[in-house]
Amino acid sequence: MQIDIRFPGSFAVARCHLAGGETIRVESGAMLMTSKGVELEAKVEGGLLRGLARSAFGGESLFVTRYIAPPGGGWVDVAHHLPGDTMAVPVRSDVALMLTRGSWLASADQVEIKTKWGGMSNLIGGEGGFLIRAEGSGQVILGCYGGLQAVELAPGESVIVDSGHVVAYEETVRSDLRRAVEGKTIQSLKSGEGLVFEFTGPGCIYTQTRNPTELTNWLTAMLPFRRD
C-alpha cells in the first residue's frame, strides 16, 4: 500500500493506493472517496466483545470497514473529522503503537487494532484510561486536530506534553502523569495546565498542535446550550 497525503495541513486527506486484491481497514465514517470497483464490507473486527471494547473504551466505532481493491488496483481517500493533518506511520512487528481516542483513521490489513488499558494515569489525564494498540507490520494513518508532529526520543530523553495534545506513541516510550509544576498543585492549577504527561525514550511520540477538549469547552461556553 502506498499513501499520498493530499492537501497537507488543516484539511489533509490520505489517499491509499491499493494493489489488486489488497485490503485496507478504515474507521467507520473516515472514508471520503474511492475509485470505481473498490468493494467494502463492514463488520465487528475481532468479535463482538472486542468491538464493543474498542467502541466504548477506545473512542472508535463498533464497526470497522474493510476496502478491497479490484484486480486492477484502486485507491481509497480517508480524512479526519476535525480540521487537521494526517500522517502515515509505520508499525514494526517488534514495537506496537499506542493511539489515543479518535486518532486512528486507517491501517494496512496486516496491522491489528486492539483496545488496551493504558493505566490510571491515562484515566486521570483525561484520555479515558484505554488506548488503541496497533500491532503487526504495516502502516497506520493517524488523524489529529491541528498540525501533527513526530518527536523522536533518545534513550533517557524526556519531554513534557499536555494530555490533550497526545496523538500516539511507541510502546517503548514510558509515560508518567504528573503535575505541570512538580509538587505544587496550586501552581499547576494557576498555570492552566494542571496535569501533564512526561514521556521518556527511547521511541517516538506524535503530538497535535490543538486540543480537541479545549475546542469542546470553548464551544460549550460560546453557544446557547448546556452540555449534560
Side-chain angles (χ1 to χ4, degrees):
M1 179 175 64
Q2 294 183 336
I3 301 171
D4 295 328
I5 304 300
R6 309 171 69 217
F7 317 110
S10 298
F11 304 102
V13 175
R15 173 160 292 185
C16 308
H17 299 274
L18 306 176
E22 190 174 9
T23 300
I24 182 175
R25 287 183 170 96
V26 178
E27 162 70 347
S28 179
M31 189 275 287
L32 170 66
M33 183 167 51
T34 74
S35 59
K36 185 176 181 179
V38 174
E39 298 181 359
L40 64 93
E41 58 179 27
K43 65 178 183 179
V44 180
E45 288 280 338
L48 181 59
L49 290 180
R50 183 178 292 182
L52 287 171
R54 185 175 59 248
S55 175
F57 303 132
E60 307 296 339
S61 171
L62 172 63
F63 295 96
V64 173
T65 306
R66 299 174 78 246
Y67 290 83
I68 306 105
W75 50 265
V76 179
D77 282 353
V78 297
H80 198 238
H81 61 280
L82 289 172
D85 216 343
T86 63
M87 182 182 293
V89 175
V91 175
R92 307 193 310 270
S93 59
D94 59 332
V95 180
L97 187 68
M98 311 304 295
L99 286 66
T100 55
R101 295 172 62 91
S103 61
W104 175 68
L105 292 182
S107 54
D109 200 36
Q110 297 79 14
V111 176
E112 189 171 2
I113 301 297
K114 299 180 178 179
T115 305
K116 181 182 177 181
W117 171 246
M120 287 301 296
S121 64
N122 278 70
L123 183 64
I124 299 171
E127 295 303 321
F130 288 85
L131 298 166
I132 296 296
R133 188 176 193 271
E135 60 181 34
S137 181
Q139 296 191 86
V140 170
I141 301 174
L142 304 177
C144 76
Y145 178 35
L148 181 57
Q149 63 177 340
V151 181
E152 188 71 39
L153 299 176
E157 183 182 6
S158 298
V159 293
I160 312 303
V161 184
D162 180 272
S163 62
H165 291 270
V166 179
V167 175
Y169 57 91
E170 291 181 328
E171 199 172 32
T172 54
V173 176
R174 189 180 80 242
S175 64
D176 297 302
L177 184 76
R178 68 169 178 80
R179 300 180 184 92
V181 182
E182 290 188 278
K184 297 182 178 180
T185 302
I186 299 301
Q187 289 297 320
S188 295
L189 293 174
K190 286 182 177 179
S191 72
E193 298 301 330
L195 299 172
V196 297
F197 280 105
E198 181 172 337
F199 291 103
T200 304
C204 191
I205 68 171
Y206 301 88
T207 64
Q208 56 192 359
T209 60
R210 297 292 181 268
N211 186 336
T213 301
E214 291 303 319
L215 172 64
T216 301
N217 293 339
W218 182 82
L219 289 173
T220 301
M222 291 296 104
L223 296 177
F225 66 83
R226 188 173 68 181
R227 183 164 56 109
D228 295 327

